[in-house]
Amino acid sequence: MIPPLIVETALNKGIGVIAITDHNASANIEAVQKAARGTELVVLPGMELQTSEEVHVLCLFDELDQIRAFQQMVDASSPALPNNIEFFGEQFVVDDTGDFLRREERLLLTSSGLTIRRAWEQVTDLGGLLIPAHVNRKANGLIQTLGFVPEDTPIEILEISIHITPQAAVAAYPQIQGYPLIQNGDAHFLEDILGLNHLTLESVTVAEVRSAILGLEGRSHAIQS
Amino acid sequence: MTLAQIANALGLALLTQEQDLTQITPSAGYTSDMLSCVMSGAPQKSLWITLQAHVNIVAVAALLELSAVIITEGAAVDAATIAKANEKNVILFSTPLSTFEVAGRLWELGLRAG
């Protein structure tokens, strides 16, 4: 997806905040942030990390410095396999106009060496927010992969895929009852950009997003049905 | 066939506390790395082969009263997982062998799917 088109699509849908969360990668975040300059859209840096247990977790941050530090930890723990374009497709890094800068040579599709517990510690230490992604999904969902939310990891929020309603998710997976849920488009294409989460925030920070999803201090969150 | 015979035949390393493995006879064998599948599919008191080493395997093994868990491909098992297993009296083995090879050898030894 080309950065200016991501920004344009989000703005056209009335979206105020997006997060760029590529799989084990963060090299394209800055381009989207630059493309959003001068607009109302806030672009948070993030990552969809694949943990060593093959669980996908969203990692959200406020600043590029935080995601860069986290990326170093992810890279240091990950196998250095080259990408095979024929099988796995291109891994382009682009500038804010969408022009080619370079190819990411390392295969991003693998699991990192970070366990979900370690990832939670690293993200939290850096001031970020970790939310297990599409927990109901057969592939790489927390519930399918690990059965239930691990007791040793203080996870507060879960994300469900768009293929299920929150009510149906809780009915199908009673082990997620009581967790505040968010639901994202997991947009891989422009048409997947949906803007499903309505958040009441004082300012756009990851801490505010967390407070809103948890319903703390007058902040609130609702999923558009 | 007892766990002692299996551990000996496959050269499994016992990760958890010493106990009398000659008294435990697995009912069957089972393999999956997805814990939701294990919870619904593994026969009670069976021997579970997996390369998933997350601490949640202990809870699943305890829930189904599994005979033991064989963690394959030398997957790193952290101390917290072993401590939890000892607390719940779950037996964990480690092996550098692949899941395929462990399952094949257990089948040869006479263990079945249950």
Side-chain angles (χ1 to χ4, degrees):
Chain A
M1 289 194 285
I2 295 176
L5 292 179
I6 295 174
V7 173
E8 185 188 324
T9 305
L11 288 169
N12 285 343
K13 301 231 169 166
I15 295 170
V17 189
I18 62 170
I20 303 298
T21 57
D22 285 327
H23 189 107
N24 292 1
S26 55
N28 281 309
I29 297 167
E30 196 173 1
V32 185
Q33 289 184 327
K34 281 186 181 166
R37 271 189 199 153
T39 75
E40 298 285 302
L41 185 69
V42 176
V43 179
L44 294 175
M47 184 187 293
E48 181 192 64
L49 176 75
Q50 184 166 315
T51 70
S52 64
E53 303 92 351
E54 303 220 331
V55 174
H56 283 185
V57 292
L58 282 174
C59 307
L60 300 177
F61 297 98
D62 291 300
E63 304 292 340
L64 281 174
D65 285 351
Q66 293 170 298
I67 188 75
R68 283 178 185 139
F70 186 60
Q71 181 77 62
Q72 285 186 353
M73 296 167 188
V74 172
D75 289 348
S77 76
S78 302
L81 299 170
N83 184 30
N84 182 325
I85 294 169
E86 196 182 331
F87 292 127
F88 304 119
E90 291 283 8
Q91 299 179 163
F92 291 136
V93 180
V94 298
D95 71 9
D96 56 314
T97 67
D99 277 346
F100 174 84
L101 287 179
R102 63 182 172 87
R103 284 188 169 85
E104 187 84 64
E105 300 293 344
R106 182 173 180 161
L107 178 63
L108 298 171
L109 198 74
T110 58
S111 292
S112 76
L114 297 179
T115 63
I116 189 168
R117 167 78 200 182
R118 191 84 187 110
W120 181 87
E121 287 169 359
Q122 303 278 24
V123 170
T124 306
D125 283 354
L126 286 166
L129 178 63
L130 182 145
I131 302 175
H134 45 69
V135 296
N136 56 298
R137 222 179 64 180
K138 191 86 179 171
N140 308 112
L142 171 71
I143 298 306
Q144 300 292 353
T145 308
L146 292 183
F148 50 92
V149 181
E151 275 177 29
D152 70 342
T153 310
I155 285 162
E156 296 175 311
I157 300 162
L158 303 175
E159 191 226 352
I160 56 171
S161 75
I162 53 165
H163 311 291
I164 195 165
T165 64
Q167 295 77 15
V170 172
Y173 310 103
Q175 58 270 60
I176 69 172
Q177 190 153 28
Y179 283 94
L181 301 178
I182 60 167
Q183 190 165 34
N184 294 338
D186 197 4
H188 288 63
F189 301 96
L190 291 174
E191 57 267 31
D192 300 334
I193 297 174
L194 299 172
L196 294 173
N197 295 283
H198 287 245
L199 299 154
T200 310
L201 310 172
E202 281 282 309
S203 58
V204 182
T205 64
V206 167
E208 281 279 330
V209 169
R210 172 182 170 272
S211 292
I213 298 168
L214 296 178
L216 304 175
E217 296 160 11
R219 316 291 192 270
S220 66
H221 165 250
I223 299 172
Q224 184 185 325
S225 53
Chain B
M1 185 173 39
T2 69
L3 276 185
Q5 289 168 313
I6 290 169
N8 190 41
L10 275 70
L12 304 176
L14 181 65
L15 298 176
T16 44
Q17 62 212 349
E18 286 295 328
Q19 56 186 290
D20 188 359
L21 300 176
T22 63
Q23 299 303 308
I24 302 168
T25 304
S27 64
Y30 179 85
T31 178
S32 172
D33 303 321
M34 298 190 78
L35 272 55
S36 61
C37 295
V38 181
M39 283 155 67
S40 59
Q44 267 215 334
K45 299 191 189 299
S46 62
L47 180 54
W48 172 26
I49 314 159
T50 180
L51 53 70
Q52 182 62 266
H54 188 272
V55 65
N56 276 16
I57 63 173
V58 175
V60 171
L63 176 76
L64 299 172
E65 298 174 34
L66 298 184
S67 296
V69 185
I70 302 176
I71 300 164
T72 58
E73 298 200 25
V77 185
D78 62 31
T81 301
I82 295 169
K84 187 86 173 173
N86 282 330
E87 181 195 321
K88 299 286 180 193
N89 205 26
V90 166
I91 299 168
L92 301 180
F93 292 107
S94 173
T95 176
L97 301 175
S98 72
T99 296
F100 180 80
E101 184 150 6
V102 171
R105 291 213 203 166
L106 290 174
W107 190 278
E108 277 183 351
L109 290 169
L111 198 69
R112 292 294 178 262

